[in-house]
Amino acid sequence: MSKARKYPEFRRKLALGWWLSNRRYTAYMFRELTSFFVMVFSLLYIYQLSVLASRNTAAYNSYLGLLKNPVMVLFSTITLAFCLYHSFTWFYLIGKVQPIKIGKRTTTPVMALAVNTVLMAAVSYGVIRLFLMGGL
Amino acid sequence: MAGSRSVSTAARVHALLWGVFSLGGFISAFLLPVLIYVNNIAYPLGLWPAGATDPTSVLVAQRLSTLFIFVTVAGSLFHGVFRFMSTLPELGLRGGREKLAAAGYAVIGAGIVMMVVYLLALNPSILRLP
């Protein structure tokens, strides 16, 4: 069998701010940028675990003090906002990608968003009650 | 035929990684907000109800909540890094995609391994059968 000929891949060159030209592109990019905050928080949390695991009380108290810094609280609030934006857009996309047929009706993305948001709230409540407040 | 077998393996690995990415997306959508809220907002602002002990210290003391931390942070780390590596070329990063992917997987692997080490150091009994 002869080798398949390789053709050069065509990559359209986009201007740096291409995603600012259109509202939908901007919303898309904000959705993708939620990953930056998810990544940063995960890495910071692993660092917090490392400080806690070092059994150095002074160092851990210092890190907890850093968490109380207004700049850090602001960053955390922005991180939570982006994380929730990821959650809501993810739930909406679930509804778009996998609609469920119930009898003669089919679920809509808004239904998926509503149901999964309620589930997320319930899971969050459960985590706080079960793990952090000693039981349901 | 050997060429098609190697492409098929690469495609399978690629699909597996996207599957893990998708699972990480579910995990970060459902579980990450509460962890960010209790650890980084409620506790620092004094909204935390459990007295002086910070939430992470409470979480690592129990087996099930340690598993919660592992699943949440590992899944979110994979999802975040994977997605961010995919987003960087769209933001204008030209070239070096293979190196970027390798760096991303290195961060994911190192992060998860280190987290396991720290969680075991904090609670060595979590692997023992009840």
Side-chain angles (χ1 to χ4, degrees):
Chain A
M1 232 180 196
S2 59
K3 278 186 186 174
R5 183 180 166 184
K6 282 190 178 179
Y7 292 91
E9 186 184 337
F10 172 70
R11 283 185 190 216
R12 182 183 162 193
K13 285 195 170 75
L14 294 167
L16 274 178
W18 65 270
W19 50 280
L20 293 168
S21 62
N22 179 304
R23 194 169 57 95
R24 285 177 187 230
Y25 294 165
T26 306
Y28 162 80
M29 191 49 74
F30 267 97
R31 195 186 77 207
E32 296 305 301
L33 282 175
T34 61
S35 60
F36 172 76
F37 293 92
V38 169
M39 175 182 71
V40 168
F41 175 80
S42 302
L43 292 170
L44 282 175
Y45 198 79
I46 292 171
Y47 175 73
Q48 183 175 347
L49 290 174
S50 76
V51 178
L52 183 59
S54 70
R55 308 283 183 195
N56 185 335
T57 313
Y60 191 62
N61 286 337
S62 175
Y63 187 81
L64 292 178
L66 176 63
L67 287 181
K68 294 177 184 175
N69 186 297
V71 174
M72 190 62 172
V73 172
L74 178 64
F75 175 75
S76 301
T77 307
I78 294 169
T79 299
L80 179 61
F82 270 91
C83 184
L84 286 171
Y85 185 60
H86 157 71
S87 300
F88 297 145
T89 52
W90 193 265
F91 298 153
Y92 187 84
L93 283 172
I94 293 170
K96 246 191 164 169
V97 164
Q98 190 64 60
I100 299 169
K101 202 161 181 214
I102 304 170
K104 288 183 182 174
R105 299 180 69 180
T106 308
T107 58
T108 63
V110 173
M111 285 180 192
L113 170 62
V115 168
N116 284 292
T117 301
V118 169
L119 271 174
M120 181 189 74
V123 165
S124 300
Y125 177 77
V127 165
I128 291 174
R129 286 294 305 209
L130 190 62
F131 297 146
L132 298 166
M133 294 177 79
L136 287 168
Chain B
M1 285 302 168
S4 66
R5 202 183 312 134
S6 67
V7 168
S8 174
T9 305
R12 268 191 238 125
V13 169
H14 194 68
L16 183 69
L17 290 172
W18 274 97
V20 177
F21 158 79
S22 178
L23 180 62
F26 273 98
I27 289 169
S28 53
F30 279 101
L31 300 180
L32 195 61
V34 66
L35 187 59
I36 296 173
Y37 174 72
V38 296
N39 191 69
N40 282 44
I41 294 173
Y43 173 73
L45 292 180
L47 305 172
W48 175 238
T53 313
D54 66 284
T56 299
S57 298
V58 176
L59 286 170
V60 298
Q62 305 161 60
R63 204 186 292 237
L64 196 56
S65 51
T66 301
L67 182 65
F68 161 76
I69 289 178
F70 174 73
V71 167
T72 303
V73 179
S76 300
L77 182 66
F78 190 101
H79 176 84
V81 173
F82 194 94
R83 198 173 187 179
F84 190 60
M85 294 300 119
S86 304
T87 305
L88 281 176
E90 293 179 344
L91 286 170
L93 184 76
R94 308 212 190 279
R97 285 182 189 225
E98 289 81 14
K99 285 180 187 165
L100 191 63
Y105 290 128
V107 168
I108 291 169
I112 291 176
V113 166
M114 284 156 64
M115 182 172 50
V116 170
V117 168
Y118 300 141
L119 289 175
L120 285 173
L122 285 162
N123 195 346
S125 65
I126 54 173
L127 289 182
R128 275 188 226 136
L129 291 170

